[in-house]
Amino acid sequence: MDDKPVEDRGDTRSRRPASKAFRELMGRDWGPTESETPAQPLPSAGYAAQRRLELGRQFAGERLVFPAGQLVPRSNDTDYPFRPHSAFAHLTGLGTDHEPESVLVMEPVEETAAALGSGAPTHEAVLYMRPAATRDTPEFYADARYGEFWVGPRPSLNDVATQTGLRTEHLDQLRDALSKDAGQVQLRVVRQADPVVTEMVSQIRAEAGLPEPQPDGLDSLGPDDRLLEAASEARLIKDAHEVAELRTAVAATIEGFERVVRALPEAIDHPRGERVIESAFEAGARVAGNGLGYETIAAAGPHATTLHWTKNTGSLRRGDLLLLDAGVEADSLYTADITRTLPISGTYTEVQRRVWEAVVDAADAAFAAAVPGNLFRDVHDAAMRVIAERLEEWGLLPVTAAEALREDGQQHRRWMVHGTSHHLGLDVHDCAQARAELYLDGRLEPGMVFTIEPGIYFKPEDLTVPPEYRGIGCRCEDDVLITASGSENLSVALPRRADAIEAWMARLQA
Ligand code: GLY
Ligand code: MN
């Protein structure tokens, strides 16, 4: 009879020896390991220090806590691949799967006023982490989540200090560090990143008799949410390292689109052709970078009119379109986000071409509005004007384009309900917690990176349009960098116009 409590039974599929003799032998005679990637300073380290400096100045004298996050169980004792919270990645410069449970703490320096005056850092940044266990501990061979016998080499405190330029401390020190002078030092945490750290902060506040943070007015955020907002706004303008990483992600994504075009013949004869497309893209993403920046939308035929079609269970028919919305996430965690709507046969029909070219015209109008000083929403408005005009031209709008474009009209949005742009970076929808005055109502500034992605979607059951339009969905999405004088289309190397796409597909399939 099994008398173990159920919560302890998950690892009972084998019996690990527990004898003293076994433990004694496991703990000795291990030579030095040769690390596959000896620690080197990361190219991001200096940039991350500058980001911390700028953020810190908004919160002088306060203790700021940025957790990486916990491993998240996928089922039972298997976890999802770890991805650190984007605020943590931005402020440490760490990418890929670094480092579960670790926490960046920005500790106010004692001479805060002097630092503010001189431009010196207002905080000392310390990374608390769980380093690789020594080999004389059971963690080394018995911990399937963290033990090096199971998961391979893990970094030491020194490794991560070398990589990031941060002071590193063992995670065991975190609680003491956060509770020091509790009640006298304002403590803010990114609550969404790690429930364990958020709970620890709550306990520290309770022990110090501090209230849990509340909004201090109707429109105002509590102190923790204010930190998340600031960390999100800190990413609105990309630095040179971030732009370089985005270029890397875009280049790998364009290669992924080429891989998909080469896979089209196999996909067309397959009952789950959309999955053939999805997996062709993902295979390249895993080889070139960390993987996908978001779930791939491989939408053939009418599936393209479902904006976030990620089931990808359908088949591909010659004569239909394939809308592919996909992005490679680089090892640094910066992602591209690109969409093209391709003719599965290699040639657009006349009506498909008409809709696709209208969408690209709308994108070009949006690009013309994407210049420093314009508002973010000017870009959207420029795209919408073209779409409304084309819908009017085709006789599909129940009113004139001018009437539809008025605030109290908007009939054209039946066929494009989403926005034209979103910021892009560590998150595919980056800077999402920024204030509206800096995002939707904000002015464009050099260093901003966002998408331009107008579309037109005629649902197959849309009785307001003639049958030849029904089931056609098109989106064209590029990634744009605002420069001092205008903008640069980072994804311009991927053909956009119908003729260029047909020629590119023919060349790749020759
Ligand atoms: N590429 C997916 C999205 O922007 O929502
Ligand atoms: Mn997008």
Side-chain angles (χ1 to χ4, degrees), residues 150-234:
W150 293 80
V151 299
R154 295 200 54 249
S156 66
L157 295 179
N158 279 341
D159 288 338
V160 177
T162 303
Q163 288 170 329
T164 60
L166 290 162
R167 183 152 76 78
T168 50
E169 297 283 355
H170 197 287
L171 192 59
D172 291 349
Q173 308 298 315
L174 177 67
R175 197 173 213 291
D176 285 350
L178 296 189
S179 47
K180 188 170 146 245
D181 303 327
Q184 278 132 63
V185 180
Q186 167 76 291
L187 177 62
R188 299 184 194 249
V189 61
V190 171
R191 305 177 71 81
Q192 293 76 3
D194 183 335
V196 175
V197 178
T198 301
E199 175 57 24
M200 187 185 286
V201 168
S202 290
Q203 283 176 8
I204 290 168
R205 283 178 173 143
E207 284 160 17
L210 298 170
E212 274 292 292
Q214 300 292 334
D216 39 33
L218 258 189
D219 297 324
S220 146
L221 302 177
D224 291 340
D225 288 344
R226 187 69 72 204
L227 182 63
L228 179 64
E229 177 186 84
S232 200
E233 291 173 356

Side-chain angles (χ1 to χ4, degrees), residues 10-11 13 71-81 145:
D11 61 357
R13 63 187 177 275
L71 284 161
V72 178
R74 183 179 182 280
S75 77
N76 188 23
D77 59 350
T78 57
D79 297 318
Y80 284 106
R145 259 188 156 177

Side-chain angles (χ1 to χ4, degrees), residues 337 422 429 451 453 477:
D337 179 5
H422 56 80
H429 297 163
T451 64
E453 49 174 313
E477 179 172 31

Side-chain angles (χ1 to χ4, degrees), residues 95-113:
T96 61
D97 56 351
H98 302 308
E99 199 44 54
E101 294 189 53
S102 57
V103 182
L104 174 71
V105 178
M106 288 176 58
E107 180 69 21
V109 296
E110 284 187 8
E111 308 77 19
T112 296

Side-chain angles (χ1 to χ4, degrees), residues 1-2 35 94-95 110 143 162 275 379 432 469 483:
M1 200 178 80
D2 194 342
S35 179
L94 288 166
E110 284 187 8
D143 186 330
T162 303
R275 291 283 174 95
V379 178
Y469 287 107
T483 62

